[in-house]
Amino acid sequence: MTTAHRRIRLGVGLVAAVLSLAGCSGGGDDDAGSGASATATTSAPSVTPSSASPTPVVKPSNVYPTNAKGCHPNAKWSTAKAVDWVDFGQIGTPALDPGQVRFPKSRPGFDGPLCDRVTVQVQYWRINYRPSSATSAADPLSQEVDYDYAMKSLKRSELHVDGRTVHDVKPPKGFASTTASPCDGFLEAIYVGAPLKSRELPTKISTGNQILGDTVTFPTKRVVDYHVFAPSGPQLCDDNGVPTASSAPSNPSSGYGLSTPSFPDIQLTPKS
């Protein structure tokens, strides 16, 4: 995984650990009309006989302390600080639907809320695979199989997040579908700021590695998190990214992440 991809898991894990001790609070509706409400819950200390001391309540540390207005000043934040904040606590537990993203309500002082909103993009692509012009994609003895790929953006949602409300983003229809062509994979990315420019799009995608997992090389530091959904049978594809055989591979993708491929690790480079 890339550093950004690895950090988000650590940040969310830390949030979950603290909230499991201190209790968590839910939020309201997305101001764009597509939000979902989170149910507020609290946890009370254990009640023991009067002779025993009550269980102390653990309070979260002031990672993002709030001012008199009840928000954390961030008007002069750099892009790196915005990425760190979204990374730390603004991406909730993945939903059951592949590609769905939730930005939860902040816990005051712990991860916000912020005084000024941060612009966040959630973008989805279809990745069409075809044999690489540099190597033979059909060589079963190769430790790595190289494929060229072409990207097509399917949907991009722009949000302005400050931790005051819950925001839910749903993927486009058919995203990571199990009925997609064996040549088509999918990519989801969460990043801050304006839409990615062409020079910031992935220069390399690696999938199928059972130890390292998926890695995507973005030539920008604005990306907070991403998820690759590998195709079910890229070895069946011709130079145009179209299946050459009707038979499906022995281990098709589930649509909820990577399958256990019947071919070596895949290395992709953009189609020129």
Side-chain angles (χ1 to χ4, degrees):
M1 297 182 181
T2 62
T3 301
H5 195 50
R6 182 168 54 250
R7 284 186 326 192
I8 183 65
R9 301 307 170 204
L10 295 175
V12 172
L14 176 61
V15 172
V18 174
L19 296 186
S20 67
L21 294 173
C24 60
S25 61
D29 294 334
D30 186 336
D31 51 9
S34 60
S37 297
T39 303
T41 60
T42 58
S43 60
S46 301
V47 178
T48 58
S50 58
S51 59
S53 300
T55 302
V57 176
V58 179
K59 295 182 179 181
S61 59
N62 290 327
V63 183
Y64 291 93
T66 55
N67 58 18
K69 296 181 179 179
C71 58
H72 183 79
N74 64 306
K76 297 182 180 181
W77 267 8
S78 64
T79 297
K81 286 186 177 181
V83 168
D84 286 342
W85 178 74
V86 177
D87 178 12
F88 180 71
Q90 281 301 303
I91 300 179
T93 303
L96 293 178
D97 293 336
Q100 185 170 344
V101 179
R102 165 165 289 190
F103 296 88
K105 186 176 180 180
S106 294
R107 183 172 179 81
F110 182 58
D111 58 350
L114 301 181
C115 297
D116 294 280
R117 294 181 177 185
V118 171
T119 300
V120 181
Q121 311 282 344
V122 181
Q123 191 161 358
Y124 305 88
W125 294 268
R126 182 187 299 272
I127 311 295
N128 183 252
Y129 293 52
R130 64 281 307 273
S132 171
S133 57
T135 62
S136 172
D139 182 4
L141 300 179
S142 175
Q143 293 301 311
E144 290 185 350
V145 179
D146 288 344
Y147 290 87
D148 290 336
Y149 68 86
M151 297 180 63
K152 179 182 179 181
S153 180
L154 300 176
K155 177 184 178 181
R156 178 180 56 80
S157 296
E158 179 174 306
L159 301 95
H160 302 282
V161 181
D162 57 12
R164 297 178 189 273
T165 59
V166 175
H167 296 265
D168 278 329
V169 179
K170 295 184 178 180
K173 184 177 180 180
F175 180 77
S177 172
T178 56
T179 60
S181 164
C183 306
D184 291 333
F186 299 87
L187 174 64
E188 165 200 0
I190 301 167
Y191 56 95
V192 302
L196 291 177
K197 299 181 182 299
S198 58
R199 65 174 182 272
E200 296 177 301
L201 293 176
T203 56
K204 185 176 182 181
I205 302 175
S206 300
T207 66
N209 191 302
Q210 299 299 309
I211 298 176
L212 299 178
D214 317 333
T215 60
V216 180
T217 302
F218 287 92
T220 177
K221 295 182 179 180
R222 297 197 286 128
V223 177
V224 180
D225 194 20
Y226 61 80
H227 194 163
V228 177
F229 298 85
S232 59
Q235 76 277 22
L236 303 176
C237 307
D238 62 18
D239 292 341
N240 296 313
V242 177
T244 58
S246 58
S247 60
S250 58
N251 293 299
S253 171
S254 66
Y256 290 86
L258 284 176
S259 64
T260 301
S262 57
F263 39 86
D265 300 344
I266 306 171
Q267 306 289 328
L268 290 85
T269 55
K271 181 67 175 179
S272 57

